[in-house]
Amino acid sequence: MPLYLGLDSSTQGLTAIVLDAGGRRIVFQSSLSFDEVLPKYGTRHGVLPSADPSVVVSSPRMWADALDVMLGRIAASGLDLSRLAAISGSAQQHGSVYLSRLGPRDLGLELSRPVSPIWMDSSTSIECSEIARGVGGDEVLAAHTGSRAFERFTGPQIRKFFKTSPEQYVATSRIHLVSSFLASLLIGAHAPVDPGDASGMNLMDLKTRTWWQPALDATAPDLAAKLPAIVPSSTIIGTLSAYWQRRHGLPPARIAAWSGDNPCSLVGTGLVREGLVAISLGTSDTIFGLMREPRVSPDGTGHVFGAPTGEFMGITVFRNGSLARERVRDEYGLTWERFSRVLGMTPPGNSGRSMLPWFEPEITPRVSTPGVRRFHLDAGDIAGNVRAVVEAQMIAMKLHSGWMGVDVKTIYATGGASANRAILQVMADVFDAEVHQFAVGNTAALGAALRAFHADAKTIGWDDVVRGFTEPVASSLVRPENHEPYKDLMRIHAAREREALTRA
Ligand code: ADP
Ligand code: XUL
């Protein structure tokens, strides 16, 4: 029976999952951390050092090297790779790669810009306003592309590059997303993007799934010629190039279009039907669910992306996710085990102590000048701060996801921090919902493998593709125990956010 490989190039590392479609089981999993395995690039948490905190870039060559390391691991895994039928991938969204030429693999590629701005960048507020103005306003942009202009979205990033480095912009023949860049390396030719990742650019018309000319015009000249084609998510875009076949002895597997990590996670959590939500606690915290019809967020916070099923997905994204939790953990020299124990010992509602956890600029709500606000909370209060950061994150997630219109009774939790049941208890209490864990922490890589399966065996419906792979672990259920304190806290938190934003 065929094997399918899913790769996930995330902010901090690369993960691979191989699944056996017939046996409905995962037969290989491996992850690497960019900082640890490729130290010569000098990244921390996957990003390059920057003097300006609003500028966040990473290295496309590092992503290419990581792909090489991972394909080497797969080749050495002992799996019968003659059965490897198809490969797909997932990547952190919004990041862009600027190429003047694409060779047969990473060493052959010529970058017109050595670094890639990624989703954590918040340096393009001016370009966001310019693009919104150019198309007739925020609402018009959101109605067409699914989102108002956001700093991390690729369009504003491209505009900034065009304005600050016009010559390099002209020398750029193709601008890829991280997903289509890595897919290009696999097929040895320029790969298209899928609608899921293209909708993170402020450039695609969500309904027609084609580039929206007014947005291209408002972004940079001659942009249409520099962008990849957009193809349905389950398109086979080529075969693994001769280079990789020779280098690692891999078979000529079919390559399916890559997508963004959130659209892939939608599939990897089995959310191929409307009415359920998943929360991913990765480097970013995200809450998302499938949408049959695109309903754009009226307050402008969330996004509508294309879903791999051909439908849509609603999503709200928070920048101060795992790294904010880590900041608190490290401030008090805790391990995750100790962090969880302390969290479990403090009461829901935290006896009135709370926080706005904006350690870094925030996406939701939009905060460009970071700063943590503490309320009735001393910096030296370990237990109070641990609970405050997690409660604030979960409350913000509930407050800013109402626009999706889902009555949340069940949450599928995924991402690195979803292994932490004390954090999931706070999630269950704040949402007053049951929270489920998955056996696979990286549902983006699993979703990518399942997308490869779907693209290869097109006649199989999505329900059948995900069956047996994406059911949450039955014994993992975390039930809400105490929602009462959060009814008031939700209101108080919303007022504090509003006040902090007016003062900023
Ligand atoms: P990404 O895919 O965005 O790179 P992951 O989903 O792999 O991120 O999540 C990585 C994060 O998971 C780490 O930054 C770490 O803070 C967090 N994490 C890992 N284990 C735990 C734990 N036991 N409790 C809380 N957070 C954890
Ligand atoms: C989504 C977003 C992040 C990145 C990194 O809009 O900015 O979730 O995809 O994971």
Side-chain angles (χ1 to χ4, degrees), residues 10-11 91-94 119-120 152-153 197 200 260-262 283-286 303 305 315 317-318 363:
S10 75
T11 315
Q92 56 169 309
Q93 299 198 249
H94 316 294
W119 68 274
M120 294 163 122
R152 70 193 192 289
F153 275 46
D197 219 11
D261 50 3
N262 294 293
T283 310
S284 59
D285 284 352
T286 62
H303 318 296
F305 290 165
I315 176 166
V317 180
F318 300 83
I363 294 168

Side-chain angles (χ1 to χ4, degrees), residues 8 10-13 45 261 280-284 322-323 325-326 329 336 340 415-417 419-420 423 441-442:
D8 172 40
S10 75
T11 315
Q12 304 193 54
H45 293 301
D261 50 3
S280 171
L281 303 174
T283 310
S284 59
S322 278
L323 299 185
R325 289 183 287 275
E326 273 183 36
R329 183 198 67 176
W336 281 128
S340 314
N420 190 319
I423 293 177
N442 192 321

Side-chain angles (χ1 to χ4, degrees), residues 35 40-52 55-60 62 114-116 118:
D35 298 1
K40 71 173 183 190
Y41 289 97
T43 54
R44 192 165 145 63
H45 293 301
V47 307
L48 293 166
S50 159
D52 177 349
V55 172
V56 185
V57 296
S58 188
S59 165
M62 176 181 77
V115 295
S116 291
I118 66 155

Side-chain angles (χ1 to χ4, degrees), residues 93 194 196-197 259-267 305-308 313 451:
Q93 299 198 249
D194 91 315
D197 219 11
S259 187
D261 50 3
N262 294 293
C264 286
S265 248
L266 187 82
V267 171
F305 290 165
M313 62 184 286
R451 289 182 46 252

Side-chain angles (χ1 to χ4, degrees), residues 11 46-48 54-60 63 92-98 111-124 151-162 164 175-178 200:
T11 315
V47 307
L48 293 166
S54 71
V55 172
V56 185
V57 296
S58 188
S59 165
W63 298 329
Q92 56 169 309
Q93 299 198 249
H94 316 294
S96 40
V97 181
Y98 299 76
L111 297 164
S112 51
R113 182 180 186 181
V115 295
S116 291
I118 66 155
W119 68 274
M120 294 163 122
D121 188 284
S122 57
S123 68
T124 63
E151 282 80 353
R152 70 193 192 289
F153 275 46
T154 323
Q157 292 292 340
I158 293 172
R159 179 159 180 81
K160 182 180 161 201
F161 182 57
F162 154 68
T164 53
I175 302 172
H176 276 294
L177 292 175
V178 184

